[in-house]
């Protein structure tokens, strides 16, 4: 029996309609005569979903006892015994109750697939394992129930169930997803419009990448090399010149016209020596294309048109954007140019756009960074012009009836010699002078067809021709070398200037500098190696590129910086003239490394300064806030001990009450100071154990007036993994703070709810609230917001509360209360896999 097929309905958030779509598909299959059963589907009291379950056969579930409660899970054996053609299994990422056959539901599904049963399932994008950190950074909630990405990727069909955030929030407000008592908490937390928009984008991008994988796999299996324009990918060819910014912006406007378009900027460097582009300009263009949502690529290739087309076809690009040539008219003698070559060889599957810019026809310039070395093509052309050219010229002149004369013949041969010098350098020019001299002697100097010269004047002309040809070719070659050297020095000075500027700007990104080294010298990888002494092994302080070396001896090029630091490059051996610039890069890398370490030391110094600031504030608190209750206590005691006054019983009771209140305030202040000290020194070690919130929260309300707090802690909440003592201190601090700032019209609301693997405790007051810019500041030590009177506290309550919450693995944040006021949100980790309780439905329910 073959393996069954898996179809998954993927959504961005609970409530988008995955289960509804799955059940609708089941009804369609049943109407077509397919044997389809419900292996496990939860309707979560949603009327429309529950109606769709009618008419479908449901396999019995298994009952499992856990922690004095009975839970139901999918009975894998019952489904296998029933052996349907199609089984519906909801919530693929669900964690089974301990004692089940498998730990995860996707493992149950795997057994059904191996048995040849087709499975239709559902999963939310936030439950994919690889996206856990991303989802947590967006929503603040860590998903405890996850499914490996590979399980979903192996699905035979993935269908995205999409819905706009506004429509989903309306569906929730109408009561179609959660019960009314959970609706407000969900809308103000997980189901915020920003959260839903980000999750929706994650789902769309993940499915788009999966579709792209299918397409690439199909093209590879069928050996398809042509571009399929299923998705617009625009490749921008960069030369490192100033016109690159214009090309990138033009490509961005083209991409904006079509949804899902992608921009890929590529710079192709030759494999010899320094690149001809400005590293500074390439860095600017890299930043620009990344800011516009594209990606930058660095490719090495001597045949630039071929390398560009190969890259474009490799990424399945649909369009190429190039700039109009910067060549002057006469420079086209060297060839048609990159743009014309790419347009000619691109074929019908690639559209090539030639974009005009301000640098058109202003001159391409010589290859800046290739030194005095000429390209192979120019050398070949130089030899052809210097050797073959004179032979062809001699044939042409011999075929003419009216010869131009010996003097003109000499000038024509001299022209070829100069051309050979310009193209190929000195050696082709010398060969051209020699061949021209021999041809002039043999063909054009009487007596012809002999190597003798009858007229002495002709002999002098030939000798002068050879001397002038050698002299002119030497001067031309020397000028070309000087031009190349000047261009190289200009490139080096530009690089050195950029390095000096980076020092002044204080750039400290070591990886960015090493990447610039790799691009400048067209290397495969670059590593900065260091060691503490001559006998210690080398370690990598930073590296870029694939497979960086770990020892200078293993590198193709190494540049030492002192005794214990070296820059190691892999890819090819650099010529000697490139090492001067490489030395400047190595020195700059050492400076950047030192600056990074200085930044770390400065951060440590900042923390010490912060500690000094706290100690100063502590002294101020001791000098005033702690002395206030002490003064009240001392005054009351002195009054009681006075023999001059006869105190009544009521007066004595009042004085004793004042002493007790002062002692309580003093104990509270000293406790907060000690707690802050423990947090600063890192000596808080929570004793984590599982406990119910309703055992701790009521005990924390002893310091507030009776009737000032309204408590709502459901009994069905899962247990939390906390330190009970620290939790009581946290709750007491935030509740007392809320009561202090609550105007008194309504009691402070303390409510708890479950959200995924977390439990939230919300303390809601109706005070004047806190502006957004001050919400983080109120958690800093010795901060009292607004007009809080002196003597009411040292401003440590919220700082201590957040510190204790984080020590227990939780968070404490401030939010605006709808209608005015401030809400403190304490988020704690639920204890273990507490099963399928009603309070967990908001996080676990999928549509």
């Amino acid at each position: 029996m073959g393996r069954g097929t898996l179809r998954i309905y993927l959504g961005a958030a609970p409530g988008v309609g995955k289960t509804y779509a799955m059940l609708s598909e089941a009804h369609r299959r049943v109407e077509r005569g397919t044997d389809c059963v419900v292996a496990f589907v939860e309707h979560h009291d949603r009327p429309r979903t529950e109606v769709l379950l009618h008419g479908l056969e449901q396999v019995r579930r298994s009952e499992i006892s856990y922690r004095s409660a009975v839970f139901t899970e999918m009975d894998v054996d019952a489904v296998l015994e029933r052996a349907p053609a199609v089984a519906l299994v909801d919530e693929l990422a669900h964690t089974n109750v301990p004692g089940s056959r498998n730990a995860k539901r996707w493992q149950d599904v795997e057994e059904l697939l191996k048995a040849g049963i087709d499975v239709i399932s559902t999963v939310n994008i936030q439950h994919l394992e690889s996206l856990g950190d991303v989802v947590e950074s967006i929503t603040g909630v860590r998903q405890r129930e996850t499914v490996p990405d590979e399980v979903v990727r192996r699905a035979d069909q993935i269908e995205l169930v999409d819905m706009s955030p506004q429509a989903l929030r309306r569906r929730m407000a109408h009561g179609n997803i959660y019960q009314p008592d959970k609706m407000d908490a969900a809308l103000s937390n997980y189901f915020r419009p920003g959260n839903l928009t980000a999750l929706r984008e994650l789902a769309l991008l993940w499915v788009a990448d999966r579709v792209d994988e299918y397409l690439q796999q199909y093209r590879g299996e069928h050996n398809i090399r042509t571009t399929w324009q299923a998705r617009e990918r625009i490749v921008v060819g960069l030369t490192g010149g100033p016109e690159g910014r214009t090309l990138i912006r033009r490509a961005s406007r083209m991409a904006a016209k079509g949804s899902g378009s992608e921009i890929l900027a590529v710079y192709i460097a030759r494999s010899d020596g320094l690149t001809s582009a400005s590293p500074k300009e390439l860095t600017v263009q890299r930043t620009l294309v990344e800011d516009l949502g594209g990606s930058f690529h660095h490719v090495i290739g001597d045949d630039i048109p071929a390398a560009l087309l190969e890259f474009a076809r490799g990424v399945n690009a649909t369009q190429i954007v190039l700039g109009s040539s910067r060549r002057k008219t006469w420079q086209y003698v060297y060839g048609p140019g990159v743009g014309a070559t790419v347009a000619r060889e691109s074929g019908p599957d690639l559209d090539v756009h030639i974009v005009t810019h301000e640098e058109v026809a202003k001159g391409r310039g010589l290859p800046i960074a290739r030194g005095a070395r000429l390209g192979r093509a120019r050398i070949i052309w130089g030899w052809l012009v210097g050797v073959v050219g004179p032979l062809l010229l001699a044939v042409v002149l011999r075929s003419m009836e009216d010869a131009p004369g010996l003097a003109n013949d000499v000038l024509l041969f001299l022209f070829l010699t100069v051309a050979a010098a310009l193209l190929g350098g000195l050696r082709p020019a010398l060969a051209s002078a020699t061949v021209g001299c021999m041809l002039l002697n043999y063909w054009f100097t009487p007596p012809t067809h002999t190597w003798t010269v009858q007229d002495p004047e002709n002999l002098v002309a030939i000798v002068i021709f050879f001397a002038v040809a050698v002299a002119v070719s030497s001067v031309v070659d020397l000028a070309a070398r000087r031009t190349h050297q000047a261009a190289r020095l200009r490139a080096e000075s530009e690089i050195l200037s950029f390095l000096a500027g980076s020092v002044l700007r204080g750039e400290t990104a070591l990886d960015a500098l090493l990447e610039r080294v790799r691009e400048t010298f067209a290397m495969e990888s670059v590593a900065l190696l260091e060691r503490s002494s001559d006998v210690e092994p080398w370690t990598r302080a930073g590296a870029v590129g694939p497979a960086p070396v770990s020892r200078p001896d293993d590198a193709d090029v190494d540049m030492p910086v002192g005794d214990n630091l070296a820059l190691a490059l892999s890819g090819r051996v650099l010529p000697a003239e490139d090492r001067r610039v490489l030395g400047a890069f190595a020195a700059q890398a050492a400076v950047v490394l030192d600056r990074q370490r200085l930044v770390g030391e400065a951060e440590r110094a900042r923390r010490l300064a912060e500690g000094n600031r706290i100690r100063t504030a502590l002294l101020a608190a001791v000098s005033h806030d702690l002395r206030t209750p002490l003064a009240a206590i001392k005054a009351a005691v002195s009054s009681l001990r006075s023999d001059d006054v006869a105190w009544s019983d009521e007066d004595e009771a009042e004085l004793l009450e004042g002493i007790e209140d002062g002692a309580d305030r003093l104990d509270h202040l000293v406790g907060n100071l000690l707690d802050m000290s423990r947090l600063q020194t890192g000596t808080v070690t929570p004793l984590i154990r599982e406990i119910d919130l309703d055992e701790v929260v009521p005990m924390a309300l002893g310091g507030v007036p009776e009737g000032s707090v309204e408590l709502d802690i459901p009994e069905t909440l899962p247990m939390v993994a906390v330190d009970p003592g620290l939790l009581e201190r946290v709750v007491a601090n935030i509740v007392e703070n809320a009561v202090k700032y609550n105007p008194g019209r309504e009691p402070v609301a303390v409510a708890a709810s479950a959200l995924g693997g977390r439990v939230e405790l919300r303390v809601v007051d109706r005070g004047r609230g806190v502006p957004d810019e001050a919400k983080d500041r109120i958690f800093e030590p010795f901060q009292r917001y607004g007009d809080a009177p002196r003597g009411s506290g040292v401003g440590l309550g919220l700082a201590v509360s957040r510190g204790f919450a984080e020590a227990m693995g939780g968070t404490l944040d401030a939010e605006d209360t709808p209608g005015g006021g401030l809400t403190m949100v304490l988020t704690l980790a639920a204890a273990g896999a507490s099963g399928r309780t009603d309070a967990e439905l908001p996080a676990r329910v999928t549509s």
Side-chain angles (χ1 to χ4, degrees):
M1 180 180 295
R3 179 183 174 86
T5 60
L6 175 61
R7 178 172 183 170
I8 294 178
Y9 286 95
L10 177 69
V16 294
K18 300 179 301 302
T19 305
Y20 192 92
M22 177 179 67
L23 294 175
S24 299
E25 173 65 20
H27 278 284
R28 287 192 293 269
R29 297 199 181 198
V30 169
E31 291 174 359
R32 295 195 298 264
T34 304
D35 183 15
C36 183
V37 302
V38 176
F40 191 96
V41 171
E42 285 281 8
H43 57 76
H44 302 299
D45 297 325
R46 299 175 186 175
R48 297 184 180 180
T49 305
E50 186 176 4
V51 167
L52 282 180
L53 283 171
H54 299 322
L56 296 176
E57 178 185 350
Q58 300 189 43
V59 179
R60 60 177 173 81
R61 301 183 184 182
S62 63
E63 296 184 351
I64 301 175
S65 297
Y66 180 67
R67 290 186 177 178
S68 303
V70 177
F71 303 94
T72 60
E73 294 287 0
M74 181 175 69
D75 192 334
V76 179
D77 291 328
V79 178
L80 292 175
E81 181 181 355
R82 172 62 177 76
V86 179
L88 307 184
V89 182
D90 204 5
E91 300 178 9
L92 185 64
H94 168 73
T95 300
N96 293 329
V97 175
S100 301
R101 179 179 183 135
N102 295 303
K104 304 287 289 187
R105 183 164 293 165
W106 64 264
Q107 296 172 326
D108 296 338
V109 169
E110 188 68 21
E111 287 195 37
L112 300 182
L113 294 174
K114 289 181 179 178
I117 301 174
D118 295 343
V119 176
I120 304 177
S121 187
T122 64
V123 72
N124 283 329
I125 192 68
Q126 65 264 29
H127 293 298
L128 294 182
E129 182 68 40
S130 66
L131 300 178
D133 295 337
V134 179
V135 173
E136 183 178 12
S137 66
I138 294 172
T139 64
V141 177
R142 182 68 181 185
Q143 298 295 330
R144 302 298 178 183
E145 294 187 330
T146 59
V147 58
D149 288 45
E150 186 59 29
V151 173
V152 182
R153 288 183 181 276
R154 286 201 307 263
D156 299 274
Q157 297 181 56
I158 299 176
E159 183 171 333
L160 179 66
V161 183
D162 191 23
M163 176 176 287
S164 69
Q166 294 77 11
L168 182 57
R169 285 173 61 86
R170 283 197 303 271
R171 176 181 287 184
M172 176 171 290
H174 292 159
N176 295 330
I177 300 178
Y178 295 153
Q179 297 299 319
D181 59 331
K182 301 166 185 174
M183 187 187 309
D184 291 339
L187 286 173
S188 60
N189 287 277
Y190 196 88
F191 286 81
R192 296 189 183 106
N195 290 0
L196 296 178
T197 302
L199 292 173
R200 186 188 189 197
E201 183 178 12
L202 274 179
L204 291 170
L205 291 175
W206 195 91
V207 173
D209 290 340
R210 183 69 182 111
V211 172
D212 205 31
E213 291 177 10
Y214 278 130
L215 181 60
Q216 295 292 350
Q217 179 182 356
Y218 182 85
R219 284 163 52 85
E221 291 174 353
H222 294 77
N223 195 26
I224 299 173
R225 298 290 298 169
T226 58
T227 299
W228 283 7
Q229 300 183 1
R231 180 180 178 185
E232 290 292 343
R233 285 188 175 88
I234 304 174
V235 171
V236 185
L238 301 179
T239 64
E243 77 280 359
R245 306 182 203 182
T246 302
L247 303 183
I248 293 171
R249 293 189 182 97
R250 181 71 179 91
S252 177
R253 292 195 297 272
M254 295 168 58
K257 296 178 180 178
S259 178
S261 298
E262 185 179 357
I263 303 174
L264 302 94
V266 58
Y267 170 71
I268 300 175
R270 297 185 185 274
S271 60
D272 53 345
L274 292 169
T275 63
S276 60
S278 164
K280 179 179 179 180
E281 184 63 32
L282 276 181
T283 301
V284 172
Q285 293 175 14
R286 175 198 291 269
T287 303
L288 176 60
V289 72
E290 290 175 351
D291 289 343
L292 294 175
S295 57
F296 184 91
H297 303 267
H298 187 272
V299 177
I300 297 176
D302 290 322
D303 189 343
I304 293 179
L308 180 61
L309 288 171
E310 182 179 358
F311 174 83
R313 293 192 174 102
V315 299
N316 197 29
T318 57
Q319 302 180 58
I320 298 178
V321 176
L322 299 173
S324 297
S325 178
R326 286 183 288 146
R327 292 180 173 189
K328 293 184 180 297
T329 303
W330 63 269
Q331 289 179 313
Y332 281 95
V333 299
Y334 299 123
V338 174
T341 304
V342 170
R344 184 181 65 247
E345 299 179 2
S346 61
D349 54 340
L350 272 172
D351 296 334
V352 180
H353 302 266
I354 306 297
V355 179
T356 58
H357 49 84
E358 296 179 353
E359 303 297 321
V360 173
K362 290 187 177 181
R364 184 183 58 179
L366 295 172
I368 293 177
R370 296 174 60 197
R373 300 184 298 275
L374 298 173
R376 179 179 300 178
R378 286 189 60 176
I379 293 176
I380 293 174
W381 275 105
W383 282 101
L384 289 176
V385 172
V387 177
V388 180
L391 295 174
L392 295 177
L393 179 60
V395 173
V396 172
L397 293 176
R398 289 293 297 175
S399 62
M400 298 175 60
E401 295 181 359
D402 297 330
L406 181 60
N408 292 327
D409 295 340
V410 170
L411 291 177
L412 291 173
F413 280 100
L414 182 61
F415 170 77
L416 291 177
T417 301
V418 173
L422 288 172
L423 289 173
L426 182 60
R427 293 182 180 179
L430 293 178
S432 178
T434 302
V435 173
C437 183
M438 296 174 62
L439 291 174
L440 285 171
N441 183 11
Y442 190 82
W443 289 99
F444 303 101
T445 304
T448 58
H449 305 293
T450 64
W451 299 106
T452 60
V453 180
Q454 183 176 359
D455 190 347
E457 294 181 359
N458 294 337
L459 179 61
V460 172
I462 293 176
V463 172
I464 293 176
F465 160 76
F466 185 78
V468 170
V470 172
V472 170
S473 61
S474 299
V475 171
V476 171
D477 180 71
L478 181 61
R481 288 176 181 273
R482 291 291 183 264
T483 301
H484 279 288
Q485 290 172 2
R488 179 183 182 82
L489 292 175
R490 184 168 68 251
E492 292 181 0
S493 64
E494 186 176 357
I495 294 172
L496 296 176
S497 174
F498 180 73
L499 289 177
S502 66
V503 173
L504 295 176
R505 291 188 296 271
E507 295 181 357
T508 58
L510 181 60
D511 290 343
L513 179 64
L514 297 181
E515 181 64 27
R516 192 172 297 124
V517 174
R518 189 178 75 89
E519 292 181 358
T520 300
F521 295 97
M523 305 298 285
E524 293 180 359
S525 63
V526 178
L528 182 63
L529 307 176
E530 64 172 346
R531 57 183 179 181
S532 55
S533 64
D534 294 341
V535 297
E536 294 294 328
W538 291 94
T539 59
R540 281 197 292 263
V544 295
V549 299
S550 55
R551 296 189 310 160
D553 296 339
D554 299 333
D556 295 317
V557 181
D558 70 284
M559 175 60 66
V561 188
D563 296 331
N564 300 319
L565 198 65
L567 192 64
L569 292 78
S570 299
R572 61 186 180 84
V573 178
L574 288 180
E577 57 265 30
D578 287 349
R579 295 184 66 86
R580 178 171 54 182
V581 178
L582 182 60
F585 272 114
Q588 175 66 4
V591 171
V592 170
L593 183 62
D594 290 340
R595 184 180 290 118
Q596 285 184 344
R597 289 172 177 169
L598 289 175
V599 169
E601 294 178 2
E603 177 62 22
R604 289 191 291 272
R606 187 196 63 78
R607 289 196 294 268
L608 291 175
E610 178 68 15
N612 290 332
R613 186 187 69 82
I614 292 177
R615 282 191 289 272
T616 302
L618 176 60
L619 291 175
V622 170
S623 65
H624 186 281
D625 296 285
L626 294 182
R627 291 179 63 183
T628 299
L630 282 175
I633 294 173
K634 181 174 177 58
V637 172
S638 299
S639 299
L640 288 174
R641 296 188 61 182
S642 175
D643 297 331
D644 300 335
V645 180
W647 302 102
S648 64
D649 293 341
E650 291 80 4
D651 293 336
E652 288 184 359
E654 184 177 352
L655 290 173
L656 290 174
E657 184 180 357
I659 293 174
E660 185 177 12
D661 290 342
D664 289 340
R665 288 177 55 193
L666 187 61
D667 179 70
H668 182 73
L669 293 174
V670 171
N672 276 340
L673 289 171
L674 293 176
D675 290 338
M676 196 68 229
S677 175
R678 293 166 60 199
L679 289 172
Q680 290 290 328
T681 57
T683 57
V684 176
T685 305
L687 300 177
I688 304 296
R689 66 184 182 89
E690 298 181 1
I691 193 170
D692 287 319
L693 274 182
D694 54 8
E695 297 180 25
V696 179
V697 175
M699 297 175 60
L701 305 182
V704 297
E706 186 176 353
S708 61
V709 175
E710 181 179 308
L711 198 60
D712 180 17
I713 308 294
E715 295 181 357
T716 55
L717 277 178
M719 303 176 74
V720 291
V722 295
D723 183 315
L726 294 184
L727 177 60
E728 183 179 345
R729 295 292 302 277
V730 172
V731 175
N733 277 341
I734 59 179
V735 170
E736 290 174 9
N737 189 76
V739 171
K740 180 169 61 176
Y741 288 100
N742 199 51
R745 295 188 306 270
E746 299 180 25
V748 171
V750 179
S753 61
L755 188 65
R758 316 285 284 180
V759 174
E760 283 190 353
L761 183 71
R762 306 176 73 84
V763 180
V764 183
D765 67 60
R766 295 293 178 177
R768 54 194 174 89
V770 176
D772 291 340
E773 62 272 13
K775 281 188 172 63
D776 286 333
R777 196 165 62 247
I778 62 176
F779 292 102
E780 296 179 2
F782 302 102
Q783 296 291 325
R784 285 182 290 198
Y785 177 68
D787 56 355
R790 299 289 294 180
S792 62
V794 293
L796 285 176
L798 293 181
V800 169
S801 297
R802 172 172 276 189
F804 282 172
E806 293 176 349
M808 294 184 292
T811 59
L812 178 61
D813 299 293
E815 296 180 357
D816 291 329
T817 301
L822 188 69
T823 299
M824 289 292 177
V825 183
L826 175 63
T827 305
L828 303 169
S834 55
R836 304 174 53 82
T837 63
D838 292 339
E840 287 179 316
L841 289 179
R844 299 165 59 109
V845 168
T846 55
S847 61

